[in-house]
Amino acid sequence: RLTPIDASGVEIVGGFWARRQRLNREKTIPHGFGQLQRRGPMDNLRLAAGERGRYQAEADSGGSTFPFLDSDVYKWLEAAGWELARGADAILAAAADEAIGVVAAAQRPDGYLNSFVQVVGGGVPYQDLAWGHEFYCVAHLIQAAVAWRRGLGDDRLLTIAGRAVAHIDAEFGARGRPGIDGHPGIEMALVELARVTGEERHLALAERMLGLRGRGLIGPGRFGPEYWQDHEPVREAATVAGHAVRQLYLDCGAVDAAVELGDEELLTAVRRRWNDLARTRTYLTGGTGSRHRDEAFGDPYELPPDRAYTETCAAIASVMLAWRLLLATGEPEYADAIERAMYNGVLSGLSLTGEEFFYINPLQRRTHRAAEQAGHGRRAPWYPCACCPPNLMRLLSSWHHYLATGDESGVQIHQYADADVTAGGIRLAIRTEYPWQGRVTVRVVQTPDRPWTLALRVPAWSRASTGPVVRHSRQWRAGDSVVLDLEPGIRVTAPDPRADAIRGCVAIERGPLVYCLETVDAPAGTELEDLAWDGGRPPGEVPRPDIEPGVVGIDVPVTHSATPLTAGAIPYFAWANRQVEAMRVWIPT
Amino acid sequence: RLTPIDASGVEIVGGFWARRQRLNREKTIPHGFGQLQRRGPMDNLRLAAGERGRYQAEADSGGSTFPFLDSDVYKWLEAAGWELARGADAILAAAADEAIGVVAAAQRPDGYLNSFVQVVGGGVPYQDLAWGHEFYCVAHLIQAAVAWRRGLGDDRLLTIAGRAVAHIDAEFGARGRPGIDGHPGIEMALVELARVTGEERHLALAERMLGLRGRGLIGPGRFGPEYWQDHEPVREAATVAGHAVRQLYLDCGAVDAAVELGDEELLTAVRRRWNDLARTRTYLTGGTGSRHRDEAFGDPYELPPDRAYTETCAAIASVMLAWRLLLATGEPEYADAIERAMYNGVLSGLSLTGEEFFYINPLQRRTHRAAEQAGHGRRAPWYPCACCPPNLMRLLSSWHHYLATGDESGVQIHQYADADVTAGGIRLAIRTEYPWQGRVTVRVVQTPDRPWTLALRVPAWSRASTGPVVRHSRQWRAGDSVVLDLEPGIRVTAPDPRADAIRGCVAIERGPLVYCLETVDAPAGTELEDLAWDGGRPPGEVPRPDIEPGVVGIDVPVTHSATPLTAGAIPYFAWANRQVEAMRVWIPT
């Protein structure tokens, strides 16, 4: 088992990820608070606290009402907590205080807290566990509370969450009726709550809820029992199935519980599903979940680039799960998966301005398209179902947690960024131009007076001459440094022969980045659909400061009706930030 | 303009289609009546007539209620009407009488008729035109009434339909409020009603409703305004868009109105959309509508074989529209489209036993699949939303209508079957082993004493040496005969280069039939996903009486890990009738 480093033990000080954390802090999180104020979530909680007004959570103009928007406030609060832990900000602190006050006021005297049930649902809790998202909302409340405790030592949210959990525990605990939420999430939150409070009953409730799945408690519903992870017991299901985010959140909870309980069988079940996911249902971008209808995994190898659903939240959930599996096993393949998802499928969910979001992340968009609803094709400032934007916020505000771990042997670096790492008397300064350049320098700033091991992950794309981890074990002295030279050369990637939808194509990758063509970088007067990969000429690197400082673009050799031309490729995460027309990752050969 | 032949003017007397009409009459239609009795639709109408009980139309276990199941009774009655016109059957007649009696009893004294609104919807009509399907249900009532009038001269349903239409006309007619149904259908029904009754006001109401679309009357809704054809005016929309069946039903009504009104602009608009449909959104099977989420057309060339939605009703609707365009223009491409859809995308909706149905008709099914709900992968005896089964019934019971037309010049044969055709003093006996063999013999049994032209369509797949129509003009004598030798050889079809999802594949066709591989016909121990087309060896014909008498199968040369093997291909329409595992139309090269 690897051990996370304290929230304050890693600081990203420059480069690619510092830019993104700054954007998140300065643009995305403030934008998010404004949206929560204007779009309903904050006011809905105020209604639960007794104010008067209309509940705002319209699913669509058909008139149905989303019951889960409280969770967006909690996710935003989690992000705000991590940000305030990274550094004080009076305006952000005031906004967070306001939100915490609203949440506290909304909670009923008996501890129950869910604005939908309290305001429009008749006030009787737990009447619709399948669709109601009541545990799910409390799960995000817990996660926010954990962030505020861990990052700031502030227990205001922890008190609220503890009372909300006690209300659930009284009805669904060991002596209560069996109940599971149609949307998993509370399982991992309860384990985290047990960790920060030391109270075993939270772990016991998580274990109980994990054990109740797959026994028909919810039933088939509209999309089948796999939609809400009630199709097979958690320790039996061999493959991922159903709604992607629900599957991955559930497995996060299963790993958390397995680690706390020493339950190797449960851990093995999750790893088996992860292997299935990684091998048969994961896009090149690290995205997962191909089907639109039920936001679900498709068949093995059903990975259409055009109709890729690949919800931003599913990519985030895969990062969360891979992180837990990395901690539980130490195996670098999980860090590889985190890297692939973060640089591609996760970041594509956020505009370069930080204030617009994709819910869906396809790998192809055609020049000529079917009639589209407003907002399709461009990132939107918010969504009626706004799970993704605050999920991005909380992930980016805590991204430094994912870079390194410690254990008795020393420190393990999993992700590369300009960062200072402090763990167990060891202090490291990591400097790199990653992902644009492959050199990583790790300087020992402070060291204990005993030998220890510095372990550096070698990404899968750079393992020509090494194993997946390079280890340096010695008695270190301050000022020592180690250089890791990765090889982020251009790669021309062929698809798996079973991936039907991308047969006869190649994709371009460089380092951890997947590249794509966009109309605006295509030869004048051509449509992307008429360009084919020209295997007779090599692709070449080209600086693309027009996208963002430091960006390395790739000039792609193509033919258009047998005429050799060149099309510019940019990192996939940066698509749809200029003129939005067509885009494609997979290029016909 | 071509003119349909009277309902009694064409009789299919043998061969492929006689088998299917017999199956429809003897198995499918009786099975359908049983389902209507057991699953709610008949009883719901009885509740509307005052009986007591629970309304049965569960959309899913989530508890929502379908408002459109009356239409299944009407579609079944339409089929029963055509069947009784083809030949008496006391049991069928008694069942139809029972259904007509139930419908008559359900109608309110004011003429309004919709069991959902009357029983569970509060009794106030026209409160939810977007989702309510009230006009849509009346449309199917009208179509049934037209069948009973045309086929049997029985006006019981016509009286009921006339009163239901009068109720709509009073509220939504020229002096009423503007209103259109979220599901088109009534437009074509009203034109037909005008034709059989001679009452111009029905045509005027159809014209009014056609003119009101695309002006925001319904609004965007959950899937955008194109979902219910409210995105653009009918004479302006350049491409097909939204829900496939709704688009095609609407365009059927537009052609019907255009023909009656002599509105060439309106006809041109539909033909423009048809061209877009045929060129960019039609599967090899003639199926259309690729998207599951909203049963909608995808982007141009977005034609995934695995996630092809291709609802049986959409293929049926394309036959209905192509037939109207054929009559309006005389152009044989529309008859080609009817042939392709009927032999492939329509027939695949029905099991060879006649008692099981596909709602969705994919062109690929993998060996290893995502968790599936009950019934997926196999045809089901019925569906909660059972639009397709009775749609198949009414199409098959009237299929002989589609074979031939007449005009002043003579008779035109569009589809080939063993059939006797009588029109305007001309009597023809058509004999053929079509689709298995290409020879068609047309014998003149009776002829008027003047020259006339026999026009025979040459299918697009057999036009090497002829144009699309062969015309024989002469003074015929009884006993004359003409032979048309079509060339139903095996064709290896390459996909359109823009069809991304099937790049690098070929399909096998023979005559009007698309072929597919199924696991049960693959070499022992292989999975379809591991077979590739072997271009070095020719495919060969092989009798497949195990599928059905007369069936010509195709032995397909394939490789498996470089080993040359042979896989058996059968007509696509016959898939999933044996052991149901994997299937694919498009074979990787």
Side-chain angles (χ1 to χ4, degrees), chain B residues 157-363:
Chain B
L157 285 169
L158 202 60
T159 304
I160 300 169
R163 296 178 59 220
V165 169
H167 194 276
I168 293 172
D169 206 7
E171 185 151 349
F172 298 96
R175 291 176 307 280
R177 65 176 170 116
I180 54 175
D181 194 297
H183 198 312
I186 196 165
E187 301 80 2
M188 64 177 140
L190 286 168
V191 179
E192 286 280 77
L193 186 62
R195 287 171 176 158
V196 299
T197 63
E199 294 177 23
E200 287 288 326
R201 64 192 165 91
H202 302 311
L203 179 59
L205 184 57
E207 189 183 7
R208 173 170 159 83
M209 287 177 169
L210 285 164
L212 288 170
R213 290 199 175 265
R215 306 184 191 285
L217 269 182
I218 311 189
R222 185 168 166 194
F223 300 123
E226 63 274 17
Y227 177 73
W228 27 51
Q229 296 295 318
D230 196 26
H231 60 300
E232 278 188 282
V234 174
R235 59 182 76 233
E236 291 176 20
T239 66
V240 294
H243 187 278
V245 173
R246 296 173 198 232
Q247 170 74 78
L248 297 173
Y249 278 12
L250 178 64
D251 277 353
C252 284
V255 175
D256 284 341
V259 167
E260 294 302 321
L261 297 164
D263 187 338
E264 290 298 325
E265 183 194 67
L266 184 55
L267 180 61
T268 299
V270 177
R271 297 188 67 185
R272 188 171 59 223
R273 284 191 288 275
W274 174 273
N275 288 340
D276 170 63
L277 173 69
R279 193 174 53 86
T280 72
R281 326 283 176 110
T282 303
Y283 283 93
L284 194 66
T285 57
T288 71
S290 56
R291 292 189 179 171
H292 281 240
R293 181 167 171 273
D294 45 358
E295 305 185 314
F297 298 110
D299 289 346
Y301 303 101
E302 178 193 313
L303 296 166
D306 50 355
R307 287 293 281 174
Y309 192 72
T310 43
E311 184 184 340
T312 304
C313 282
I316 291 171
S318 82
V319 169
M320 293 163 59
L321 178 55
W323 171 245
R324 284 161 170 79
L325 288 167
L326 174 65
L327 293 176
T329 69
E331 295 183 8
E333 65 167 294
Y334 298 115
D336 284 338
I338 290 171
E339 178 178 88
R340 180 171 290 277
M342 279 302 290
Y343 279 98
N344 302 288
V346 170
L347 277 191
S348 65
L350 185 64
S351 70
L352 296 179
T353 65
E355 296 182 336
E356 293 184 320
F357 310 91
F358 272 146
Y359 192 110
I360 297 168
N361 297 275
L363 280 74

Side-chain angles (χ1 to χ4, degrees), chain A residues 60-61 221-224 226 291 298-300 302 307 364 366 368-371 373 498 500 527 530 584, chain B residues 61 221-224 226 291 298-300 302 306-307 364 366 368-371 373 498 500 527 530 584:
Chain A
D60 54 58
S61 69
R222 185 167 166 195
F223 300 123
E226 64 274 17
R291 292 189 180 171
D299 290 345
E302 179 192 314
R307 287 293 282 176
Q364 178 183 6
R366 290 187 176 79
H368 304 281
R369 295 177 298 278
Q373 294 179 250
R498 287 217 176 195
D500 293 296
E527 292 184 353
D530 294 326
R584 73 186 308 161
Chain B
S61 69
R222 185 168 166 194
F223 300 123
E226 63 274 17
R291 292 189 179 171
D299 289 346
E302 178 193 313
D306 50 355
R307 287 293 281 174
Q364 178 183 6
R366 291 187 177 78
H368 304 281
R369 296 177 298 278
Q373 293 178 252
R498 288 216 176 195
D500 293 297
E527 292 185 351
D530 294 326
R584 73 186 309 161

Side-chain angles (χ1 to χ4, degrees), chain A residues 217-547:
Chain A
L217 270 182
I218 311 189
R222 185 167 166 195
F223 300 123
E226 64 274 17
Y227 178 73
W228 29 51
Q229 296 295 317
D230 195 26
H231 59 301
E232 280 189 280
V234 175
R235 60 183 75 234
E236 290 175 21
T239 66
V240 293
H243 187 277
V245 173
R246 296 173 199 231
Q247 171 74 77
L248 297 174
Y249 278 12
L250 178 64
D251 276 354
C252 285
V255 176
D256 285 341
V259 167
E260 293 302 320
L261 298 164
D263 186 338
E264 290 299 325
E265 183 193 68
L266 184 56
L267 180 61
T268 299
V270 178
R271 295 188 68 184
R272 188 171 59 225
R273 285 192 288 275
W274 174 273
N275 288 341
D276 169 63
L277 173 69
R279 192 174 55 84
T280 72
R281 325 283 176 110
T282 303
Y283 283 93
L284 194 66
T285 56
T288 71
S290 56
R291 292 189 180 171
H292 280 240
R293 181 167 171 273
D294 45 359
E295 306 186 312
F297 298 109
D299 290 345
Y301 304 101
E302 179 192 314
L303 296 165
D306 49 355
R307 287 293 282 176
Y309 192 72
T310 43
E311 184 184 341
T312 304
C313 282
I316 291 171
S318 81
V319 168
M320 292 163 59
L321 178 55
W323 171 244
R324 284 161 171 79
L325 289 167
L326 175 64
L327 292 176
T329 68
E331 295 183 7
E333 66 167 294
Y334 298 115
D336 284 337
I338 291 172
E339 179 178 89
R340 180 170 291 275
M342 279 301 290
Y343 279 99
N344 303 288
V346 171
L347 277 189
S348 65
L350 185 64
S351 70
L352 297 179
T353 64
E355 295 182 337
E356 292 184 319
F357 310 91
F358 271 145
Y359 192 110
I360 297 168
N361 296 274
L363 281 74
Q364 178 183 6
R365 189 164 185 272
R366 290 187 176 79
T367 305
H368 304 281
R369 295 177 298 278
E372 288 176 344
Q373 294 179 250
H376 265 237
R378 296 201 65 90
R379 293 179 184 86
W382 206 248
Y383 287 89
C385 173
C387 49
C388 301
N391 225 356
L392 282 163
M393 293 174 208
R394 67 183 187 133
L395 176 59
L396 288 168
S397 66
S398 59
W399 170 237
H400 48 293
H401 302 181
Y402 293 79
L403 304 193
T405 54
D407 68 2
E408 291 178 2
S409 75
V411 173
Q412 302 83 39
I413 311 295
H414 305 290
Q415 308 296 339
Y416 296 109
D418 270 6
D420 294 337
V421 174
T422 307
I426 299 166
R427 188 171 172 83
L428 306 173
I430 306 168
R431 295 298 179 268
T432 180
E433 298 295 317
Y434 205 87
W436 310 118
Q437 308 305 331
R439 170 158 291 199
V440 179
T441 303
V442 182
R443 191 164 55 85
V444 177
V445 176
Q446 183 184 313
T447 177
D449 189 24
R450 55 173 170 77
W452 54 273
T453 300
L454 174 66
L456 303 171
R457 179 181 65 101
V458 180
W461 47 263
S462 185
R463 280 182 203 153
S465 54
T466 67
V469 179
V470 171
R471 289 186 176 80
H472 300 274
S473 302
R474 70 183 73 153
Q475 173 60 59
W476 299 86
R477 288 179 303 183
D480 282 355
S481 70
V482 165
V483 172
L484 178 70
D485 271 316
L486 303 170
E487 298 143 25
I490 297 171
R491 308 192 301 287
V492 180
T493 304
D496 188 298
R498 287 217 176 195
D500 293 296
I502 48 177
R503 180 171 288 114
C505 294
V506 293
I508 311 296
E509 297 183 273
R510 183 181 180 279
L513 296 163
V514 174
Y515 281 70
C516 68
L517 302 180
E518 279 193 291
T519 301
V520 62
D521 298 318
T526 67
E527 292 184 353
L528 287 195
E529 289 77 9
D530 294 326
L531 303 180
W533 170 256
D534 182 354
R537 293 177 292 144
E541 297 181 3
V542 57
R544 289 299 298 268
D546 56 310
I547 303 296

Side-chain angles (χ1 to χ4, degrees), chain A residues 98-124:
Chain A
E98 181 182 348
I100 292 171
V102 166
V103 173
Q107 189 166 38
R108 293 200 317 205
D110 65 356
Y112 184 76
L113 175 51
N114 182 290
S115 75
F116 178 83
V117 169
Q118 291 170 243
V119 178
V120 295
V124 183

